[in-house]
Amino acid sequence: MDLGFDLKWLIVALPLAGAILKWLRSHNDRTLSPPTSPMTDMDIEQLVREGKTIEAIKAIRKKYACGLQQAKAHFEAIRDRQRDD
């Protein structure tokens, strides 16, 4: 019995179509939360004051788009300045 198409193409096409639909849905998701507001220098200083080293360094890296070494040096400068006050 000839159905007018080859069954092996259907076996290939269905998973491919499913993958394409999944990709389209993931790139059209409107449920994503809006980006958080950037941290201010005062927020970063508060993190340093509270002893939240890792969070402060992450915030510095994000705000100033710098590397780990630079962020750590900036963190230490803030910490040292706070100790002097």
Side-chain angles (χ1 to χ4, degrees):
M1 176 180 213
D2 186 19
L3 299 176
F5 63 91
D6 197 358
L7 189 58
K8 66 182 171 189
W9 289 111
L10 185 62
I11 293 171
V12 171
L14 284 178
L16 183 61
I20 291 170
L21 286 174
K22 185 177 180 182
W23 180 82
L24 286 171
R25 271 189 251 128
S26 71
H27 283 76
N28 196 23
D29 188 10
R30 298 192 198 300
T31 62
L32 296 175
S33 60
T36 59
S37 61
M39 295 195 86
T40 65
D41 289 334
M42 291 180 68
D43 294 332
I44 293 171
E45 288 177 13
Q46 182 64 32
L47 290 172
V48 174
R49 196 174 299 112
E50 293 172 357
K52 297 181 178 179
T53 306
I54 295 172
E55 292 88 346
I57 291 174
K58 283 182 181 181
I60 293 166
R61 289 188 71 190
K62 186 174 181 179
K63 179 173 172 109
Y64 297 106
C66 61
L68 181 59
Q69 297 259 337
Q70 292 171 318
K72 186 173 180 260
H74 189 80
F75 167 83
E76 290 170 351
I78 294 170
R79 185 189 61 204
D80 294 344
R81 187 174 61 239
Q82 286 179 353
R83 285 183 183 166
D84 291 340
D85 290 343

